[in-house]
Amino acid sequence: MADQLNQKDLLGAIELFYFSYRSFTAGPDQILQNHQGLSRVHHRILYFVARNPRISINELLKILQVSKQALNPPLRKLIELELISSQLSESDRRIKQLILSKRGQALENKLTSTQLEHLEAAFTGSKNSSLKNWKELMLQISLSGPAIKK
């Protein structure tokens, strides 16, 4: 039978989640500050464009779950810095596709490498956790959806 969850344990889990995320993003955040004040949102864009070459802006909006208005300023900055280029799709000239430049690839690789090292150290150093279990838990958290009350 599953462990009984109480509020104190869940509040502790929230704290661990915050502290873990802060630690996980600290390295990339520091690297980004040295690149003309880029931030975490720029990293997310670089990350998903790297994993999805020639992604359309609409597809990126769906992945990031943000509005066009929210995506426009950071994406524009990445294009101005020549880290990402925007090209028209060969199959449909109305669709803009995003591609990392060589500089964009190098920056994204540096950012993601710090996080890969971080996770590798965490999973190697932990006796009680497996990557499979952690991924299942993260998936369950993401699928349970936001509990937003208005």
Side-chain angles (χ1 to χ4, degrees):
M1 184 170 173
D3 292 340
Q4 287 288 16
L5 299 176
N6 62 49
Q7 188 174 18
K8 184 178 177 184
D9 290 337
L10 291 173
L11 290 171
I14 290 171
E15 288 181 22
L16 286 173
F17 197 83
Y18 282 133
F19 296 143
S20 298
Y21 187 70
R22 181 177 61 192
S23 176
F24 183 68
T25 57
D29 286 352
Q30 189 173 20
I31 293 167
L32 288 164
Q33 280 301 313
N34 296 329
H35 282 83
Q36 301 183 21
L38 297 179
S39 66
R40 201 168 294 152
V41 67
H42 298 98
H43 181 196
R44 279 194 287 269
I45 294 168
L46 290 168
Y47 179 86
F48 285 107
V49 172
R51 305 285 142 342
N52 302 278
R54 299 194 177 281
I55 188 171
S56 72
I57 292 175
N58 282 337
E59 290 170 329
L60 184 60
L61 289 169
K62 287 178 189 172
I63 289 172
L64 297 175
Q65 295 186 350
V66 297
S67 67
K68 284 184 182 181
Q69 294 84 356
L71 180 64
N72 190 43
L75 180 57
R76 190 173 351 115
K77 182 160 186 167
L78 291 169
I79 291 171
E80 287 171 7
L81 294 173
E82 299 180 353
L83 297 170
I84 289 181
S85 66
S86 172
Q87 300 175 349
L88 296 177
S89 168
E90 292 177 13
S91 61
D92 186 342
R93 309 294 284 169
R94 298 170 295 173
I95 298 173
K96 289 184 180 179
Q97 296 177 319
L98 304 173
I99 302 164
L100 292 184
S101 68
K102 290 208 183 286
R103 286 183 51 233
Q105 289 172 353
L107 176 58
E108 191 283 326
N109 186 51
K110 187 175 184 180
L111 296 167
T112 300
S113 291
T114 64
Q115 292 181 319
L116 287 170
E117 291 169 8
H118 194 109
L119 286 177
E120 184 176 9
F123 285 111
T124 302
S126 176
K127 295 182 240 174
N128 298 329
S129 79
S130 74
L131 180 57
K132 182 181 179 218
N133 291 342
W134 182 81
K135 286 170 72 174
E136 287 175 9
L137 178 61
M138 292 295 105
L139 179 62
Q140 194 58 42
I141 289 171
S142 68
L143 292 177
S144 64
I148 299 171
K149 296 179 183 176
K150 295 183 180 185

